[in-house]
Amino acid sequence: MSGILRLPCRMASTCAHSLPASLLRSAAYVGGSWLQSSDSGTFAVLDPATGSELIQVADCGPRECREAVKAAANAFQSWKDVSSKERSVLLRKWYDLMMQNKDELAQIITAENGKPMKEALGEIVYAAGFLEWFSEEARRIYGDIISVPMKDRRALVLKQPVGVASIITPWNFPSAMITRKVGAALAAGCTVVVKPAEDTPLSALALAELAHQAGIPAGVYNVVPCSREKAPSVGEVLCTDPSVAKISFTGSTATGKILLRYAADSVKRVSMELGGHAPFIVFDSADVDKAAAGALASKFRNSGQTCVCSNRFLVQKGIHDAFVKKLSALMEKELHVGSGFDEGVTQGPLINEKAVDKVEHHVKDAVSQGAQIVAGGKRSNVGKNFYEPTLLSNVTTQMLCAKEETFGPLAPVIKFDTEEEAIAVANSANVGLAGYFYSQDPAQIWRVAEHLEVGMVGVNEGLLSSVECPFGGVKQSGLGREGSRYGIDEYLEVKYVCFGGL
């Protein structure tokens, strides 16, 4: 393997990074109070860069979860009648506090998630943006007046909050995935119970502290952290409690299907943002420099641990070799592995060793079937949760990395001949969250954008998330949309009112 490119790395910092005491919380937040679990149980939150323990957090179970749902249900009776202007003002205060504390919030993300500080700061600004956006959308919940043929009647449509919403969020964006859901829910007049990922509960609890400071009423925003062992029973309560009217979940497709089955018994409203397997297509007409830069940004953000990361690189044969060479050079120049707290690091750890095992398994499977390692291809010597950013060529559609979402720093390149072939491969997955392609042919751009079976398309662009735009997928990538003006509709019921005898 003498031709394999080895990427530079930075050793994980040996010094302990103190977390901001002003925002560090370890108890559940229920009904405006900080509570320990009834059995006084706790679980450890670990630094994925070193494996060391950061803090012990309250390990909530079904009992605490029901208390949180009850608190949210009680608060809903008054919160739903709070004026849209007042809800807007409170969300704006929460946004302001996030921005004032962005450095401290970013430190918490880097400590519990591992992403580099620059990315963590970017997430906080992005996360706060949802509170700002929905503080504005709260005042734009409009109904309708409908013209009817009967002269003695008038018809109108009201939009009203659905009720208590269960919010179940992942570890890869521990702040943004909360505010994207909660901002919309609170703006609509709903109350929420948040179950953060067991790997990253500290961000959710820090947001609770800021919500309290912003004056969000008791019971409107509740957080119940729990260990991996208690997650199934807590999740079941959140999806089956009669007081819960709405479920919003971001996570794996497999878990989403389990929650959907729970929700079906009481026919709850459901939003699901599930797994992705994003194609990144480079056509012969593409600007190869821009395509390689877009690929780098799309693939290696958060060390490849985002649901919209490109997972399959489909490159047309005429531009294939040039693209692989350009991407390899960019990876060598731009990507540096190490602790997220260290200066210049762009690639932090994966969330745990299981995640590293999956990347390693995908690489070994591909190589065993003839793929060639262009860069990386092995665990990093920085630590057990680190894997070198890896580029593979000569990849086929039969390899695991072309059939499954890797969720790690692996870029497999598949060569194709025709546009029709690329579209067929891209659409062969049973999921469809995001897709990307590079082309300078206007007609081709329209064709491909319309034919890709995904909820979001990046055309000559590797990063597409924005608070103003709808986020969501098709097929088994989920139900509903988040962010944008469409996101608030997920938390509103439409009521038709008929006035007669006029």
Side-chain angles (χ1 to χ4, degrees), residues 249-466:
F249 169 73
T250 296
S252 72
T253 299
T255 301
K257 289 178 180 179
I258 293 171
L259 301 184
L260 278 169
R261 293 187 190 103
Y262 283 142
D265 283 344
S266 50
V267 196
K268 299 186 189 301
R269 287 277 295 273
V270 175
S271 297
M272 295 271 164
E273 194 263 282
L274 307 176
H277 189 34
F280 187 107
I281 307 171
V282 183
F283 291 103
D284 282 343
S285 69
D287 181 316
V288 69
D289 291 312
K290 291 180 179 178
L296 189 83
S298 176
K299 173 71 258 183
F300 294 105
R301 184 167 60 114
N302 198 18
S303 299
Q305 299 174 112
T306 86
C307 52
V308 293
C309 271
S310 297
N311 208 63
R312 300 167 289 161
F313 290 82
L314 311 176
V315 185
Q316 201 159 13
K317 62 181 181 181
I319 202 172
H320 174 274
D321 292 351
F323 173 82
V324 171
K325 183 177 180 180
K326 291 278 187 181
L327 181 54
S328 174
L330 278 178
M331 290 171 63
E332 180 180 18
K333 178 183 178 182
E334 302 290 343
L335 302 184
H336 306 286
V337 180
S339 166
F341 285 107
D342 290 348
E343 189 71 26
V345 164
T346 63
Q347 301 292 286
L350 300 190
I351 192 62
N352 51 41
E353 197 166 9
K354 184 179 179 182
V356 179
D357 290 341
K358 185 175 184 181
V359 178
E360 185 175 58
H361 179 54
H362 278 192
V363 171
K364 287 182 176 179
D365 170 79
V367 171
S368 72
Q369 297 186 59
Q372 296 177 348
I373 300 175
V374 180
K378 63 182 179 65
R379 292 174 183 253
S380 170
N381 60 8
V382 173
K384 69 176 183 178
N385 288 344
F386 293 84
Y387 198 92
E388 292 183 351
T390 298
L391 177 62
L392 300 180
S393 65
N394 201 36
V395 174
T396 71
T397 57
Q398 299 307 307
M399 297 173 184
L400 283 178
C401 60
K403 296 192 290 186
E404 299 178 358
E405 185 178 28
T406 303
F407 227 66
L410 170 60
V413 179
I414 302 170
K415 186 186 296 186
F416 71 89
D417 290 323
T418 66
E419 177 184 314
E420 292 74 17
E421 178 189 353
I423 295 296
V425 173
N427 291 343
S428 64
N430 61 5
V431 292
L433 188 57
Y436 309 85
F437 69 93
Y438 277 69
S439 170
Q440 296 187 93
D441 179 341
Q444 183 177 62
I445 287 172
W446 280 111
R447 285 194 307 271
V448 176
E450 292 176 351
H451 289 159
L452 282 178
E453 295 173 358
V454 295
M456 300 172 285
V457 180
V459 182
N460 296 326
E461 179 56 62
L463 299 173
L464 45 65
S465 297
S466 171

Side-chain angles (χ1 to χ4, degrees), residues 20-176:
S22 61
L23 295 179
L24 188 62
R25 298 292 180 269
S26 61
Y29 185 69
V30 177
S33 299
W34 298 100
L35 304 175
Q36 296 298 327
S37 60
S38 58
D39 62 0
S40 300
T42 61
F43 67 99
V45 180
L46 305 179
D47 175 356
T50 64
S52 61
E53 181 179 310
L54 295 171
I55 193 172
Q56 290 281 330
V57 171
D59 193 3
C60 297
R63 178 177 175 179
E64 292 79 18
C65 189
R66 292 189 186 97
E67 290 176 3
V69 171
K70 183 179 179 181
N74 291 337
F76 176 67
Q77 297 309 311
S78 55
W79 181 249
K80 67 180 180 180
D81 294 325
V82 171
S83 72
S84 59
K85 172 68 181 295
E86 188 174 348
R87 292 200 297 266
S88 174
V89 168
L90 289 171
L91 284 169
R92 178 70 196 202
K93 287 181 179 177
W94 199 4
Y95 159 78
D96 288 338
L97 286 168
M98 283 194 70
M99 294 304 293
Q100 291 167 22
N101 292 273
K102 63 180 184 295
D103 290 336
E104 292 81 0
L105 292 169
Q107 289 172 26
I108 290 174
I109 287 179
T110 296
E112 65 178 350
N113 167 278
K115 67 177 61 174
M117 273 294 291
K118 183 178 180 180
E119 284 194 25
L121 280 166
E123 178 180 343
I124 293 303
V125 173
Y126 178 56
F130 286 109
L131 297 183
E132 180 186 38
W133 173 262
F134 285 115
S135 75
E136 297 161 351
E137 288 299 291
R139 303 184 68 184
R140 299 185 180 92
I141 300 173
Y142 302 126
D144 284 303
I145 301 294
I146 300 172
S147 177
V148 294
M150 291 71 72
K151 293 183 178 180
D152 63 342
R153 298 182 191 176
R154 297 293 185 272
L156 60 108
V157 172
L158 305 177
K159 290 186 178 180
Q160 297 179 312
V162 298
V164 176
S166 293
I167 307 295
I168 305 174
T169 57
W171 50 262
N172 59 338
F173 286 90
S175 286

Side-chain angles (χ1 to χ4, degrees), residues 235-257:
E236 182 175 357
V237 171
L238 289 173
C239 293
T240 59
D241 191 293
S243 295
V244 172
K246 162 78 179 182
I247 301 163
S248 182
F249 169 73
T250 296
S252 72
T253 299
T255 301
K257 289 178 180 179

